[in-house]
Amino acid sequence: MKKILISIALLMLVFIGCKSFGTSNNDQKLSLAFEAKSNSNVSGTATFVEKDGEVTLEAKFSGLTPGVHAIHIHEKSDCSAADGTSTGGHWNPTFKNHGKWGVGEYHKGDIGNFTADKNGNGSIKFTTDEWNIGSGDPTKDILGHAIIVHQGTDDFTTQPTGDAGGRVACTAIIK
């Protein structure tokens, strides 16, 4: 009887521990690798994590030209073109003007800019409740799109692209 009670107590601790420290059924994570485009040497990774109704993108890059670069989600998850143009334009399911995230109108794919250091390394972290992973909602679901890193800076004004220049890295947002 004592062994049974100890076993039940241990099982309860394991169960409570799993409930307390595990992830909920709604949590999702995608890890992606970028491929170089437009004869660049850019490489990198992106991780999307959905938790508690928000999605966080963390991306890290190497091989960039030092300076500021734009990063956007584009329409199609097709990185097959050598210059990345097979991804189409910015993901814009709400038909807004291009702009700076959170200021006036902006595309759902308008992430913004990040800086590469003198060694060509850069990173960005971005969190929003306007995306999700795999819900099927065409205005929020990032699956089936791509992330593009541009050679230049997004000016947040020029329509519909932000005049960010060529596409130097691409990854499809797929499971």
Side-chain angles (χ1 to χ4, degrees):
M1 181 71 164
K2 190 174 184 180
K3 282 185 178 182
I4 293 173
L5 289 175
I6 290 171
S7 296
I8 291 172
L10 286 173
L11 284 173
M12 288 177 62
L13 284 174
V14 169
F15 177 75
I16 290 169
C18 289
K19 282 300 257 187
S20 299
F21 300 109
T23 57
S24 76
N25 291 337
N26 296 330
D27 293 354
Q28 296 198 50
K29 182 176 181 178
L30 289 175
S31 296
L32 309 168
F34 282 88
E35 57 185 271
K37 293 294 169 189
S38 303
N39 296 313
S40 78
N41 292 315
V42 179
S43 63
T45 60
T47 304
F48 286 98
V49 175
E50 182 175 359
K51 185 173 183 174
D52 299 327
E54 291 187 326
V55 174
T56 298
L57 162 65
E58 287 192 69
K60 296 178 182 181
F61 305 96
S62 62
L64 289 161
T65 303
V68 180
H69 296 270
I71 183 169
H72 303 113
I73 295 179
H74 282 246
E75 296 172 309
K76 301 173 197 163
S77 63
D78 179 2
C79 293
S80 63
D83 63 359
T85 56
S86 51
T87 61
H90 294 180
W91 177 46
N92 185 17
T94 55
F95 307 102
K96 305 286 184 184
N97 285 324
H98 174 73
K100 187 172 185 176
W101 192 278
V103 179
E105 289 192 0
Y106 54 92
H107 301 154
K108 293 279 182 119
D110 290 343
I111 298 171
N113 294 316
F114 68 96
T115 302
D117 65 19
K118 66 181 181 178
N119 297 315
N121 300 316
S123 64
I124 187 167
K125 184 175 182 178
F126 183 85
T127 301
T128 180
D129 64 355
E130 294 191 41
W131 297 344
N132 63 47
I133 302 171
S135 73
D137 178 344
T139 65
K140 295 184 88 169
D141 192 349
I142 60 172
L143 287 180
H145 303 290
I147 305 173
I148 290 287
V149 176
H150 292 271
Q151 178 60 38
T153 304
D154 188 330
D155 66 13
F156 304 118
T157 304
T158 304
Q159 298 300 320
T161 64
D163 196 26
R167 301 168 186 207
V168 297
C170 182
T171 188
I173 307 171
I174 55 176
K175 285 188 175 185

